[in-house]
């Protein structure tokens, strides 16, 4: 995460600089529609990026799964930007979507980790994540660094379009720079997550619920659990539960409930009360200093405080750890999950 920010933060003026962008600020300012296209974890990073870009720049963003997008007939305007995200830069579906867009002369910005990868070579613009080699197959630090790259891009676009004041950008930049230390503390203090993960040993299914950014990050928590622990899990927008899925919540079903977003906190708590009433065992996620959530759930993981828009980078850490410990508890090889390749090239 620190490397991703690296030379892109102007410490003196507390603003973002993206020296690698070849296009002019005037050209960048013209974009009024963005598609984010990616697969798996990278697509989930894109979902966080969507909320952030829309909030800070007011440019509408659609996130699409690359394996579907390549068969669509997308509606490109003259000012459409496509952002493709891929850790490896070789994922076949992502590459195919990029190539389709290039046939329509759409400008493509890639966010990738691998210098010299196909995605990096074929895109018009590239932001490298500089996350170092991903040792394991499942993406973990790739996600956090992709999310940071999207924050930096969103801030830069907001500066160019003038949709955020300099003081607002400076505030986010300050908080971003505190994130690495907060991640380190979450990684050090993993005992509670380990215990919860071990308690899911005999469990067949697990739910993640959240709203807005919490929902976006819960999708990644659920994918990680499936990828490396082989536990069936679903991530659900908490407000959508009542439209059918609530029927699956019964005695002792584990539910991970993310409640980190202040503007929707009360609504989230009422969803938690609904699942508790049906017997769920709830692990809540809250921001440190929250004294309320503990009253509605079985236990709480507390996250260091930051701007609500930045919490996904922190929330994902205990979620990744949960999958890791669940996998270890089941005697699985975390680094070599079944049926998953580092880059899916077919
Ligand atoms: C996409 C992805 C990863 C996943 C696994 C298979 O890869 O779905 O998110 O963890 O490695 O591929 P990429 O396009 O980001 O390299």
């Amino acid at each position: 995460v620190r490397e991703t920010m690296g030379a892109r933060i102007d410490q003196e003026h507390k603003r973002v600089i993206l020296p690698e962008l070849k296009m002019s600020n005037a050209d960048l300012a013209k974009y009024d529609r963005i598609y984010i296209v990616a697969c798996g974890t990278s697509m989930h990073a894109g979902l966080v990026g969507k909320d952030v870009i829309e909030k800070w720049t007011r440019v509408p963003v659609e996130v699409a799964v690359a394996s579907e997008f390549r068969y669509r007939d997308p509606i490109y305007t003259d000012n459409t930007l496509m952002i493709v995200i891929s850790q490896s830069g070789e994922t076949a579906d992502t590459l195919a979507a990029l190539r389709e867009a290039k046939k329509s002369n759409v400008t493509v910005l890639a966010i990738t980790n691998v210098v010299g990868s196909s995605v990096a070579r074929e895109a018009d613009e590239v932001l490298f994540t500089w996350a170092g080699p991903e040792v394991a197959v499942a993406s973990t630090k790739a996600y956090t660094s992709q999310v940071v790259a999207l924050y930096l891009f969103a801030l830069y676009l907001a500066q160019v379009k003038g949709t955020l004041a300099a003081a607002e950008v400076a505030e986010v930049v300050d908080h971003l720079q505190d994130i690495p230390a907060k991640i380190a503390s979450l990684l050090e203090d993993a005992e509670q997550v380990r215990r919860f993960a071990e308690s899911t040993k005999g469990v067949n299914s697990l739910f993640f619920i959240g709203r807005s950014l919490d929902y976006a990050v819960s999708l990644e928590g659920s994918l990680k659990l499936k990828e490396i622990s082989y536990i069936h899990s679903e991530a659900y927008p908490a407000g959508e539960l009542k439209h059918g899925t609530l029927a699956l919540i019964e005695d002792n079903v584990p539910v991970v409930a993310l409640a980190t977003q202040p503007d929707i906190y009360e609504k989230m708590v009422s969803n938690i009360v609904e699942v508790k009433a049906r017997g769920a065992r709830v692990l809540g996620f809250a921001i440190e200093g929250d004294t309320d959530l503990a009253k509605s759930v079985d236990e709480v993981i507390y996250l260091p405080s930051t701007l609500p828009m930045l919490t996904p980078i922190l929330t994902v850490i205990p979620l990744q750890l949960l999958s890791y410990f669940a996998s270890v508890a089941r005697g699985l090889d975390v680094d070599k999950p079944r049926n998953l390749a580092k880059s899916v090239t077919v």
Side-chain angles (χ1 to χ4, degrees):
V1 167
R2 197 178 286 116
E3 290 301 310
T4 308
M5 289 188 273
R8 291 159 175 156
I9 288 184
D10 169 358
Q11 297 294 348
E12 195 188 335
H13 302 101
K14 300 271 185 209
R15 59 202 312 274
V16 175
I17 40 177
L18 295 181
E20 57 270 70
L21 280 195
K22 289 176 287 179
M23 72 173 96
S24 67
N25 283 352
D27 282 343
L28 184 61
K30 279 194 294 205
Y31 292 110
D32 57 12
R33 180 183 184 135
I34 296 176
Y35 281 113
I36 297 181
V37 183
C39 296
T41 293
S42 298
M43 193 273 288
H44 292 156
L47 290 170
V48 174
K50 169 191 162 70
D51 281 9
V52 172
I53 294 170
E54 288 186 341
K55 187 165 176 81
W56 290 342
T57 74
R58 309 310 295 151
V59 175
V61 181
E62 181 186 332
V63 182
V65 178
S67 56
E68 290 296 318
F69 191 79
R70 60 188 287 189
Y71 303 116
R72 260 171 67 176
D73 190 4
I75 302 165
Y76 297 124
T77 64
D78 288 345
N79 298 315
T80 298
L81 176 70
M82 180 189 272
I83 300 178
V84 295
I85 310 174
S86 173
Q87 189 283 136
S88 62
E90 301 296 346
T91 298
D93 287 319
T94 307
L95 202 49
L98 183 163
R99 287 176 179 158
E100 280 303 312
K102 288 311 307 164
K103 280 189 209 160
S104 303
N105 289 321
V106 174
T107 303
V108 177
L109 165 72
I111 295 178
T112 182
N113 197 43
V114 181
V115 178
S117 61
S118 304
V119 161
R121 278 187 280 107
E122 296 185 33
D124 302 284
E125 305 276 352
V126 188
L127 290 181
F128 289 107
T129 44
W130 304 120
E134 277 275 354
V135 182
V137 170
S139 288
T140 46
K141 63 182 176 177
Y143 175 89
T144 41
S145 55
Q146 288 163 348
V147 168
V148 170
L150 287 159
Y151 283 120
L152 295 177
F153 175 75
L155 286 173
Y156 189 73
L157 189 58
Q159 287 169 190
V160 168
K161 283 184 173 275
T163 45
L164 284 185
E168 292 174 300
V169 174
E171 189 191 11
V172 182
V173 163
D174 271 341
H175 279 90
L176 265 178
Q177 293 188 104
D178 291 341
I179 292 284
K182 291 175 182 173
I183 291 180
S185 77
L186 285 166
L187 287 169
E188 270 160 33
D189 189 16
E191 191 48 30
Q192 194 188 357
V193 191
R194 187 180 63 74
R195 268 187 280 109
F196 185 86
E198 285 172 0
S199 77
T200 65
K201 210 168 162 196
V203 158
N204 296 325
S205 193
L206 197 145
F207 287 84
F208 294 84
I209 58 173
R211 285 171 177 261
S212 129
L213 282 170
D214 279 341
Y215 168 56
V217 75
S218 71
L219 282 164
E220 178 54 13
S222 173
L223 177 63
K224 226 35 44 181
L225 199 69
K226 284 178 272 216
E227 274 182 344
I228 61 173
S229 327
Y230 320 146
I231 303 173
H232 169 255
S233 81
E234 284 192 50
Y236 241 77
E240 185 69 11
L241 275 175
K242 57 184 173 296
H243 298 287
T245 307
L246 207 48
L248 298 179
I249 307 290
E250 47 188 15
D251 262 355
N252 284 322
V253 169
V255 174
V256 177
L258 310 184
T260 75
Q261 298 296 307
D263 54 335
I264 42 176
Y265 184 83
E266 296 306 328
K267 284 189 171 292
M268 191 56 212
V269 170
S270 70
N271 296 132
I272 291 171
V273 170
E274 284 164 16
V275 297
K276 273 305 294 172
R278 283 157 183 83
R281 187 160 65 86
V282 181
L283 173 67
F285 276 45
I287 302 295
E288 63 187 0
D290 179 322
T291 50
D292 283 340
L293 197 66
K295 296 175 200 151
S296 316
V297 301
D298 295 276
E299 49 178 316
V300 185
I301 302 270
Y302 291 99
L303 301 161
S305 159
T306 186
L307 293 178
M309 291 300 278
L310 302 184
T311 44
I313 323 175
L314 299 178
T315 313
V316 79
I317 305 294
L319 292 178
Q320 291 168 341
L321 288 169
L322 176 62
S323 309
Y324 168 78
F325 288 124
S327 176
V328 171
R330 288 170 185 235
L332 303 170
D333 185 343
V334 179
D335 291 333
K336 292 195 189 62
R338 69 186 180 205
N339 301 335
L340 192 66
K342 188 64 239 165
S343 43
V344 181
T345 51
V346 287

